[in-house]
Amino acid sequence: MRRRPLKTRPLELVLSPVDNQRLANLCGTLDENLRQIETALDVTIARRGERFTVRGAQAAKAAEVLQKFYGDAKRGLTLDDIQLGLIEARSRGAKDDTPLLTRRADLRGRTPRQRQYIQNILEYDITFAIGPAGTGKTYLAVACAVDALERDAVKRIVLVRPAVEAGERLGFLPGDLAQKVDPYLRPLYDALYDLLGFDKTGKLFERGAIELAPLAYMRGRTLNHSFVILDEAQNTTPEQMKMFLTRIGFGSRAVVTGDITQIDLARGQKSGMVAVQKILADVRGIAFIAFKSEDVVRHPLVQRIVDAYERHGDE
């Protein structure tokens, strides 16, 4: 005789002091914020006024989150506030104490691995970050590069990407070199605009303090006093990876990021990001960090999508 799974008892929560405006801010338009909490923690939430009923295995965590958000709801809550707050609650980590000089005053590592990632970049000359999309690999690397430039620790930022299409054939791209590589480098532009502002980023480009380049244009160069980021490095070959790493000059720091589950190289071609983990594993002065799905700082469904693909492998 099969046993029926035990049902978890609903958890009752009363928020006080009662404030209708705070309750409205907490719940969001058409209870949108509550739906975000339900999705992230796999619970169901029902409410009548200030009384909430929470059902699910993580009901206690959801009640704790509701209580915290209610305390923050005096000033209003955006969808970003809810999603970032849920990520921090999930990680249960202390806030990062390392301030980075960008225009984003709230910028910090949201999970323990993100905080370790920032610490690695600050302490090591070369840092490798491997993990799924949405874990902040590129954005935090650019933030550390901006911080180094603002502190005058480096003279320029060099952002590099391999010009590999994501499984599609985009065909001939018209225009000069900058226009041809722009589609590949757009995520790096977006991070710079967010961290420095549009005007300041433009001025830094004009005076050569920031440079964006396809990986192919790194051959033969030596990068001194630079903060170099190689993004989407899963799409480099082992030869390209070696070429890039040997460009690093005096007073420079490098961060290499990539997701080895999304390799877009031709079939049968090895990824330099996969090979480098074994080749450089014992080399001093180099740090590796592997992000997991719980480090995803995007819509709560992204973490579940990553988990689902990991469970099903390459199906």
Side-chain angles (χ1 to χ4, degrees):
M1 180 178 175
R2 293 180 62 186
R3 292 184 180 180
R4 293 182 180 179
L6 294 174
K7 292 184 178 180
T8 56
R9 296 181 62 183
L11 190 151
E12 305 290 337
L13 174 68
V14 179
L15 296 176
S16 63
V18 179
D19 183 326
N20 288 333
Q21 185 58 56
R22 285 170 67 184
L23 283 168
N25 291 341
L26 169 65
C27 297
T29 305
L30 299 175
D31 289 344
E32 182 180 28
N33 293 343
L34 297 185
R35 301 292 83 80
Q36 290 291 322
I37 297 171
E38 287 181 326
T39 300
L41 299 177
D42 197 18
V43 297
T44 58
I45 301 171
R47 85 172 184 100
R48 178 170 293 178
E50 72 278 12
R51 297 180 177 275
F52 290 74
T53 303
V54 189
R55 292 179 173 85
Q58 296 196 76
K61 169 63 72 177
E64 179 185 324
V65 165
L66 284 168
Q67 193 78 57
K68 178 189 179 300
F69 285 147
Y70 189 63
D72 297 337
K74 292 179 183 178
R75 56 173 175 77
L77 293 170
T78 66
L79 199 55
D80 285 353
D81 292 332
I82 295 294
Q83 292 184 352
L84 291 174
L86 285 166
I87 290 161
E88 290 185 346
R90 195 170 64 217
S91 67
R92 290 185 177 180
K95 294 180 180 178
D96 183 27
D97 293 324
T98 306
L100 297 176
L101 288 181
T102 72
R103 73 171 191 160
R104 289 284 304 274
D106 62 337
L107 180 64
R108 62 181 182 271
R110 301 284 178 174
T111 71
R113 286 192 192 90
Q114 286 191 347
R115 292 188 284 275
Q116 184 60 54
Y117 179 41
I118 293 172
Q119 203 59 42
N120 286 352
I121 293 173
L122 297 176
E123 292 181 4
Y124 290 85
D125 289 337
I126 300 177
T127 300
F128 288 87
I130 303 167
T135 51
K137 304 183 301 295
T138 301
Y139 190 85
L140 291 176
V142 175
C144 289
V146 168
D147 173 77
L149 188 66
E150 295 284 60
R151 295 180 191 274
D152 205 29
V154 297
K155 299 303 180 186
R156 61 177 167 165
I157 298 172
V158 182
L159 305 173
V160 184
R161 263 194 171 197
V164 176
E165 294 137 347
E168 301 90 357
R169 287 286 176 265
L170 301 181
F172 174 75
L173 291 172
D176 58 21
L177 174 63
Q179 292 170 321
K180 290 177 187 294
V181 300
D182 264 5
Y184 301 104
L185 301 172
R186 179 53 53 184
L188 300 173
Y189 278 108
D190 293 341
L192 286 169
Y193 293 148
D194 192 40
L195 293 165
L196 283 169
F198 189 86
D199 291 339
K200 189 169 185 178
T201 300
K203 290 176 182 176
L204 290 171
F205 270 117
E206 286 177 9
R207 70 173 217 237
I210 300 179
E211 177 187 348
L212 292 95
L215 178 61
Y217 285 75
M218 290 295 101
R219 190 173 297 280
R221 298 185 62 181
T222 300
L223 301 171
N224 293 319
H225 306 291
S226 302
F227 196 116
V228 194
I229 299 173
L230 173 58
D231 194 33
E232 297 290 337
Q234 76 274 8
N235 290 327
T236 63
T237 64
E239 294 77 17
Q240 288 174 326
M241 179 66 78
K242 179 182 177 183
M243 180 271 290
F244 171 79
L245 293 174
T246 53
R247 302 305 97 200
I248 310 303
F250 294 110
S252 289
R253 195 171 296 271
V255 180
V256 182
T257 71
D259 178 1
I260 58 175
T261 68
Q262 297 194 43
I263 297 172
D264 300 312
L265 295 169
R267 188 178 296 275
Q269 218 170 10
K270 292 182 179 179
S271 168
M273 194 66 156
V274 174
V276 80
Q277 295 177 72
K278 182 177 180 180
I279 295 169
L280 301 182
D282 299 321
V283 177
R284 292 180 61 185
I286 296 177
F288 285 87
I289 189 158
F291 288 105
K292 307 295 183 184
S293 63
E294 57 262 32
D295 300 302
V296 171
V297 185
R298 285 185 182 172
H299 190 288
L301 278 176
V302 175
Q303 181 189 4
R304 294 188 181 186
I305 290 168
V306 171
D307 285 337
Y309 270 94
E310 286 180 353
R311 286 195 302 272
H312 289 276
D314 296 327
E315 292 178 18

